[in-house]
Amino acid sequence: YKAQNTFVSGRMEDVRRYLLEHYLDSSLSVAAVAEEFGISISYLSRSFKEAFDVNLLEYIQRLRIEQAKKLLRTQTVQSVAKEVGFWEAQALTRAFKKYEGLAPADYKRFLEKEQTWT
């Protein structure tokens, strides 16, 4: 990830660290992060995108999807959705399809097939 302005990028690095610690919290939102750091939503969104070339909400979703991929090996889609910060399994399914190109249930079946081959 690139960094322009050192103050902004330092502040956004703090935001990124905060996200890494709190992304599993289902109440995490752009508004909540902006409030936590005492900055406006528009400033946060713009600065984060400038610093990391990715939209803040997309960053949160990608973190959640990566964690979901690990948990799907041993848990149901419903339990994984709640554990990684989605309100419901449908929300996880929509995000998973968007970023991975298939539904979490299909990914889980793929993992199970892969295990039977090894």
Side-chain angles (χ1 to χ4, degrees):
Y1 292 122
K2 64 180 179 167
Q4 279 86 5
N5 173 320
T6 28
F7 172 75
V8 171
S9 62
R11 190 91 190 266
M12 291 304 111
E13 187 56 42
D14 292 343
V15 169
R16 194 180 71 78
R17 271 196 296 277
Y18 179 83
L19 295 176
L20 287 170
E21 292 171 15
H22 295 91
Y23 72 94
L24 298 175
D25 180 351
S26 62
S27 67
L28 186 68
S29 66
V30 177
V33 176
E35 190 176 319
E36 175 70 27
F37 284 86
I39 54 181
S40 74
I41 292 170
S42 59
Y43 176 81
L44 170 62
S45 298
R46 186 175 58 254
S47 300
F48 194 87
K49 175 96 170 143
E50 279 176 23
F52 301 112
D53 276 339
V54 66
N55 161 309
L56 185 121
L57 199 54
E58 185 178 329
Y59 185 79
I60 293 168
Q61 285 198 324
R62 286 183 179 193
L63 289 173
R64 289 175 172 169
I65 295 300
E66 286 308 309
Q67 184 62 20
K69 286 165 69 176
K70 295 173 191 164
L71 297 175
L72 282 167
R73 293 182 182 283
T74 57
Q75 296 180 37
T76 66
V77 174
Q78 286 77 13
S79 65
V80 169
K82 295 230 182 306
E83 195 167 328
V84 300
F86 287 98
W87 290 98
E88 58 187 8
Q90 280 182 313
L92 170 61
T93 298
R94 274 192 303 277
F96 207 94
K97 280 181 177 176
K98 179 179 178 183
Y99 296 112
E100 297 298 321
L102 72 165
D106 295 333
Y107 181 79
K108 187 172 177 54
R109 278 193 287 279
F110 170 76
L111 291 175
E112 288 163 357
K113 271 188 193 153
E114 196 177 56
Q115 287 170 352
T116 60
W117 289 100
T118 55

